[in-house]
Amino acid sequence: MSEAHDVAWFRQHAHELVDWIADYYEGLEGRKVCAEVEPGYLPPRLPKNAPEEAEEWSQVMEDVEEHVMPGITHWQSPKFYGYFPANVSYPAILGEMLSATFNTIGFSWTACPAQTELETVVLDWLARAMELPECFHASNPNGGGVIQGTASEAVLVALLAARAKIKGKWEANNGTRGTPESTMFRNGGTSLSGENFPAHLLVAYTSDQAHSAVQKACMVAGIEHWRKVTTAKENGYAMQAADLEQAIQEDLGEGRIPFFVCATVGTTSSCAVDPLDSLGCVLRKHDLYGHVDAAYAGSAMVCPEFRIHYRGIDMWHSLASNCHKWMLTNFDCTAMWTQDSKSILDALSLTPEFLRNKASDSGEVRDYKDWQVPLGRRFRSLKLWFVMRSFGLSGLRSHIRNHVALARKFEGYVMADKRFEIAAESRFGLVCFRLRGNGADITNRLNRRLLDALNSSGEMFLTHTVLDGLWVLRVAFGAVKTQGRHVDESWGLIAKMAGEILEQELSDA
């Protein structure tokens, strides 16, 4: 038997690995942020086949240093500003260790009672910390929270729940043959009577700034009609109720069936916030299922000053926020709440004979396998529980507010330099800016060059988007180790490289 089964082996190397992890975090600032490798760099460095005999742990770690580390982009670097943050903390790492130790596959309450019940408790803790309405708490028989892997999974679950809900209405109506038309279920004027459920007529709605996860969910679920409601800069790139209503009316006029709306609080491109209250009125008017994707910005709702963005949330059926983005909890950990668990269960509940058990049959427990697409699930609530207890709500609020303050500091640098402009209203920890250019082509070329130069330097990493046809550079704050001095240093590099690019542009003219 391999010595890797020996607890003494584990104790020794686990201590060594914890020391390695601690050293890694202490030395992060000295590492280049981006990996400097070419596609396909790794296979030639490693053997073609797995080793026949056990290898020494020291050799494994040597290969990590020599071959893996060159290809790591350091997301926890204090100068990683790309995408949205994916921060982590030491308590979360410890929680992940304990989850791996238990290695429970908690698809049902019986499979691991503590895993199921801790998840319910912790999601209620977070709901109360954000002051979500009681309808989203587990005390509501049709409400409560569940941890999904990603916000994309949450969107898919919500979409499937919405489809199950509209299908249930059709089935109820289809069973009332001979009922006068005035009492039959109608969806905004389109009758849902008939022999076969008209799934090909269903329409889902979101804004043109929403994450591509909504489109992918429609692809997976077989929803043929997906409408992107156009947004405008003058409205902060937020979806407007009047525009949603117009899109719905157009589809009704074509005989299609609106059934699902996904709003966003904190879009990826510019952190736009869709107005949940006015959009919610449209939902209620047409009896549509509504889901709120707050993947990034949702964590900020632990701070009272940001909760205005959740005004009207009680009119929405579900919402999701990635704790693995901005709440010190490592990937994967998406908190999803619903006030309509029945529709989720109608869409996803399935219990084959080999999974039947007394507790599940009693109806007195939650089986989270029925709240998600996969069967198996990890003990993810442990790390979130560890984080909430180790930092407390006051610590989480300070964490969020610190990054918002850093974003305002960076925004001040941009606004003070006439070569640059703010491209969209800054919200939460994101700043969208760009170099000014004479016309779209020049503007886009300048900003492409600036982005390439900054990322190639290894000193920082940021990403871009396009708004109204113009390139925009995004700086998203969220790394745990980012401090004010890093903002100063990063802006200094941006300003310097911008000057060099503009000078080169003039010389090439």
Side-chain angles (χ1 to χ4, degrees):
M1 180 179 293
S2 169
E3 65 174 349
H5 285 296
D6 190 343
V7 69
W9 180 96
F10 172 73
R11 192 185 304 275
Q12 174 188 343
H13 297 307
H15 279 289
E16 292 171 355
L17 186 56
V18 168
D19 285 340
W20 187 96
I21 292 170
D23 291 342
Y24 169 75
Y25 278 111
E26 285 188 335
L28 256 180
E29 196 165 344
R31 295 180 181 269
K32 290 193 172 183
V33 182
C34 295
E36 295 181 325
V37 295
E38 297 297 325
Y41 91 97
L42 189 56
R45 291 174 172 234
L46 300 179
K48 185 176 182 180
N49 299 311
E52 187 66 33
E53 303 297 334
E55 296 182 339
E56 291 294 326
W57 180 253
S58 59
Q59 182 60 54
V60 175
M61 289 305 297
E62 285 178 15
D63 286 347
V64 168
E65 289 283 6
E66 185 173 352
H67 303 308
V68 175
M69 292 305 289
I72 294 291
T73 294
H74 300 283
W75 282 62
Q76 307 312 312
S77 168
K79 294 182 181 178
F80 183 96
Y81 308 116
Y83 312 110
F84 274 134
N87 57 40
V88 68
S89 62
Y90 301 129
I93 294 173
L94 295 177
E96 193 70 77
M97 288 174 61
L98 195 57
S99 175
T101 299
F102 295 144
N103 199 33
T104 54
I105 314 296
F107 44 79
S108 67
W109 182 89
T110 296
C112 186
Q115 178 175 340
T116 297
E117 297 194 10
L118 184 61
E119 186 162 331
T120 302
V121 168
V122 170
L123 269 290
D124 265 2
W125 275 15
L126 193 51
R128 284 190 285 271
M130 295 178 174
E131 294 192 356
L132 293 180
E134 288 286 339
C135 56
F136 291 108
H137 297 197
S139 55
N140 171 18
N142 213 22
V146 57
I147 298 179
Q148 305 285 358
T150 65
S152 301
E153 293 175 40
V155 169
L156 177 58
V157 168
L159 185 76
L160 295 174
R163 189 177 65 179
K165 192 177 186 72
I166 195 76
K167 188 171 185 288
K169 292 179 181 179
W170 175 85
E171 291 172 344
N173 178 67
N174 212 36
T176 57
R177 301 304 179 92
T179 303
E181 186 174 332
S182 60
T183 64
M184 292 173 64
F185 169 74
R186 297 178 67 84
N187 191 64
T190 301
S191 176
L192 289 186
S193 61
E195 293 297 327
N196 298 304
F197 177 60
H200 64 288
L201 296 178
L202 296 179
V203 190
Y205 302 85
T206 191
S207 87
D208 61 2
Q209 298 297 307
H211 196 278
S212 58
V214 183
Q215 182 178 8
K216 180 172 283 191
C218 289
M219 293 165 60
V220 172
I223 303 301
E224 298 178 19
H225 304 287
W226 175 58
R227 288 287 298 270
K228 292 192 291 185
V229 179
T230 302
T231 61
K233 183 174 183 178
E234 56 264 31
N235 293 319
Y237 297 105
M239 180 165 54
Q240 300 300 297
D243 296 327
L244 175 61
E245 176 67 30
Q246 180 180 344
I248 290 172
Q249 293 297 337
E250 289 173 358
D251 284 313
L252 290 173
E254 295 293 327
R256 289 186 282 269
I257 305 169
F259 83 111
F260 176 77
V261 177
C262 182
T264 309
V265 174
T267 61
T268 301
S269 283
S270 65
C271 234
V273 176
D274 292 335
L276 303 184
D277 47 359
S278 58
L279 293 172
C281 292
V282 179
L283 291 181
R284 289 196 169 179
K285 175 182 177 181
H286 296 281
D287 195 19
L288 308 181
Y289 187 106
H291 176 73
V292 176
D293 179 11
Y296 163 66
S299 295
M301 302 310 151
V302 297
C303 301
E305 62 267 29
F306 296 117
R307 291 176 193 152
I308 188 173
H309 299 303
Y310 269 8
R311 187 171 56 196
I313 191 68
D314 58 303
M315 292 187 280
W316 296 75
H317 295 76
S318 58
L319 69 149
S321 173
N322 287 345
C323 299
H324 57 249
K325 273 191 169 67
W326 207 9
M327 197 173 277
L328 298 169
T329 307
N330 60 292
F331 186 83
D332 52 346
C333 188
T334 295
M336 179 182 185
W337 292 274
T338 181
Q339 60 169 310
D340 186 13
S341 60
K342 180 183 182 302
S343 293
I344 293 178
L345 295 175
D346 287 346
L348 297 171
S349 181
L350 180 65
T351 305
E353 186 61 34
F354 55 81
L355 291 180
R356 292 181 66 91
N357 61 83
K358 183 177 179 180
S360 297
D361 290 345
S362 73
E364 297 178 357
V365 300
R366 293 188 176 204
D367 288 343
Y368 277 127
K369 68 179 178 60
D370 298 327
W371 293 53
Q372 62 176 28
V373 174
L375 172 64
R377 55 202 331 274
R378 302 189 303 112
F379 201 162
R380 289 177 291 214
S381 59
L382 270 175
K383 56 190 176 186
L384 183 55
W385 190 48
F386 280 23
V387 165
M388 294 185 76
R389 296 187 65 182
S390 298
F391 292 98
L393 295 179
S394 63
L396 294 178
R397 293 186 192 107
S398 296
H399 164 74
I400 297 291
R401 287 167 176 158
N402 175 57
H403 289 130
V404 173
L406 292 176
R408 300 293 79 77
K409 179 182 177 73
F410 183 87
E411 181 184 31
Y413 278 131
V414 175
M415 296 176 68
D417 192 324
K418 299 304 181 183
R419 299 173 299 174
F420 292 87
E421 64 180 345
I422 297 295
E425 180 183 346
S426 297
R427 298 183 184 89
F428 305 104
L430 178 69
V431 180
C432 295
F433 72 108
R434 61 175 161 246
L435 262 176
R436 298 177 187 268
N438 185 17
D441 290 344
I442 294 176
T443 297
N444 291 343
R445 181 172 68 247
L446 289 174
N447 285 283
R448 283 193 193 97
R449 291 182 61 186
L450 180 56
L451 180 70
D452 289 344
L454 292 169
N455 289 346
S456 297
S457 73
E459 296 301 314
M460 60 187 299
F461 179 78
L462 60 158
T463 51
H464 83 285
T465 190
V466 174
L467 294 172
D468 296 328
L470 295 176
W471 259 55
V472 176
L473 304 186
R474 300 170 66 263
V475 172
F477 291 91
V480 174
K481 292 185 173 293
T482 305
Q483 301 174 17
R485 62 183 178 85
H486 299 114
V487 178
D488 299 338
E489 293 167 2
S490 295
W491 177 254
L493 182 63
I494 292 170
K496 175 177 177 293
M497 288 190 166
E500 294 172 354
I501 289 170
L502 289 171
E503 184 177 341
Q504 183 65 45
E505 188 78 11
L506 286 174
S507 66
D508 291 343

